Amino acid sequence: MLNGKTAVVTGGSRGIGAAVARKLASKGADIAIVYSSDDNAAMTVCEEIKKDFSVNCRTYRCDVSDFEEAKKTVTAIKNNFGSIYILVNNAGITRDGLCAMMSEEDFSRVIDVNLVGAFNMIRHCIAGFIRQRGGRIINISSVSGIMGNAGQANYSASKAGLIGLTKSIARELAPRGVTCNAIAPGFILTDMTKDMAQQDEIKARIPLGSIGSAEDVACAAAFLVEASYVTGEVLRVDGGLAM
Ligand code: NAP
């Protein structure tokens, strides 16, 4: 059980992040939800978590791609909760388009939120992890970071970068008893994917034959929090898509 431990979930106001926050709360963790714009969504998830699981939960509006904003947010979370045991870097965006047409801004913004954002959060949490000689870092990557995806050069690069970040941090922090792993979801039904027109075509490519749920990813995150002898791993949650 995670009673007395605090989990920070970036992008915890919707989709996969909200499911991860609820799953860790169901195991007793106190929850800090970090989000960028939708106050109502964050407050709703937070109120439900407090009601359903009787744990402490707070929301923090922060653009994780901003180094100083991320620093202020981590400081505020530590002040409110005492310490951080679990960091789930889940905040992510897409700005899809073929590389031949992609603007520099669209390439950079996706790298800044998805990859630099994870670095920023880890960078500001790391001293605490080292001091307490324990902790869990989980980075939400994607099968696009493993396989590449036409129309997602920016997104795939950010998600592949997260895998390299994960393995380096795993090596740096292993001597301190801190694990760092990545989850690579395939197609998961959330706001990010709900408009995909060709869902039947997608399902046909998935060996298990269906689109995944946010709960599927949340279960994998809960496993990685429990698994003290697993680090530097990339756990695919993709119905077999990328095998
Ligand atoms: P989503 O429903 O679009 O939710 C994105 C979340 O990230 C929201 O809570 C959003 O907050 C937050 N966010 C966006 N930009 C942010 C920023 N700059 N700073 C802080 N928070 C920010 O996404 P999802 O589908 O649940 O995906 C979650 C993660 O899983 C992403 O990293 C995504 O790349 C990855 N993933 C998803 C799938 C899939 O099929 N859905 C597959 C593979 C990987 P606001 O709403 O307040 O802006």
Side-chain angles (χ1 to χ4, degrees), residues 2 20 23-24 27 136 138 179 181-183 215-231 233-235 237:
L2 299 173
V20 170
K23 178 65 72 183
L24 298 180
K27 301 196 174 288
R136 300 278 181 264
I138 299 172
T179 68
N181 292 287
I183 296 175
E215 175 69 14
D216 291 325
V217 182
C219 288
F223 163 73
L224 290 173
V225 168
E226 294 277 312
S228 57
Y229 201 58
V230 177
T231 197
E233 185 56 90
V234 182
L235 179 53
V237 180

Side-chain angles (χ1 to χ4, degrees), residues 26 46 51 59-60 73 89 114 129 134 143 178 183 191 197 210 219 229 242:
S26 77
C46 186
K51 184 163 79 60
T59 59
Y60 301 84
T73 300
N89 285 308
N114 298 5
F129 283 134
V143 291
V178 180
I183 296 175
D191 291 346
S210 60
C219 288
Y229 201 58

Side-chain angles (χ1 to χ4, degrees), residues 2 4-8 29-32 77 81-87:
L2 299 173
K5 294 196 159 84
T6 300
V8 178
D30 295 320
I31 305 292
I77 294 170
F81 289 91
S83 64
I84 295 167
Y85 183 72
I86 301 161
L87 169 63

Side-chain angles (χ1 to χ4, degrees), residues 27 29 45 56-57 59 73 76 107 109 131 135 140 161-162 164 166 169 183 195 198 208 220 222-223 228:
K27 301 196 174 288
V45 173
N56 191 1
C57 186
T59 59
T73 300
F107 189 87
R109 185 61 190 152
R131 212 175 309 114
I140 307 297
L162 270 179
T166 297
I169 300 294
I183 296 175
D195 295 333
Q198 50 327 24
L208 282 177
F223 163 73
S228 57

Side-chain angles (χ1 to χ4, degrees), residues 10-17 34-39 41 62-65 89-94 109 113-114 140-143 155 159 184-193:
T10 72
S13 59
R14 287 193 280 127
I16 291 170
V34 178
Y35 67 103
S36 66
S37 59
D38 191 340
D39 301 321
C62 162
D63 176 356
V64 293
S65 72
N89 285 308
N90 163 82
I93 59 167
T94 51
R109 185 61 190 152
V113 174
N114 298 5
I140 307 297
S141 176
S142 166
V143 291
Y155 183 78
K159 295 299 184 177
F187 289 102
I188 306 294
L189 191 60
T190 67
D191 291 346
M192 192 180 265
T193 50

Side-chain angles (χ1 to χ4, degrees), residues 33-188:
I33 291 174
V34 178
Y35 67 103
S36 66
S37 59
D38 191 340
D39 301 321
N40 283 339
M43 279 311 299
T44 302
V45 173
C46 186
E47 289 308 316
E48 284 173 4
I49 282 175
K50 285 195 280 195
K51 184 163 79 60
D52 294 347
F53 306 113
S54 302
V55 297
N56 191 1
C57 186
R58 284 169 174 263
T59 59
Y60 301 84
R61 187 174 177 144
C62 162
D63 176 356
V64 293
S65 72
D66 183 316
F67 188 81
E68 290 305 322
E69 231 180 272
K71 185 177 187 176
K72 275 192 207 132
T73 300
V74 169
T75 302
I77 294 170
K78 282 187 189 154
N79 287 341
N80 292 146
F81 289 91
S83 64
I84 295 167
Y85 183 72
I86 301 161
L87 169 63
V88 182
N89 285 308
N90 163 82
I93 59 167
T94 51
R95 287 200 187 170
D96 295 352
L98 293 174
C99 194
M101 316 282 278
M102 189 175 284
S103 68
E104 190 184 358
E105 211 277 323
D106 281 353
F107 189 87
S108 304
R109 185 61 190 152
V110 170
I111 299 284
D112 284 350
V113 174
N114 298 5
L115 179 57
V116 178
F119 163 74
N120 289 343
M121 292 300 291
I122 292 169
R123 175 68 184 77
H124 299 309
C125 288
I126 211 161
F129 283 134
I130 289 172
R131 212 175 309 114
Q132 73 202 15
R133 301 189 75 84
R136 300 278 181 264
I137 301 169
I138 299 172
N139 297 319
I140 307 297
S141 176
S142 166
V143 291
S144 298
I146 298 172
M147 305 164 76
N149 197 18
Q152 288 198 310
N154 49 2
Y155 183 78
S156 302
S158 73
K159 295 299 184 177
L162 270 179
I163 292 173
L165 180 72
T166 297
K167 292 181 180 181
S168 298
I169 300 294
R171 287 181 186 277
E172 286 186 22
L173 294 188
R176 308 295 183 141
V178 180
T179 68
C180 181
N181 292 287
I183 296 175
F187 289 102
I188 306 294

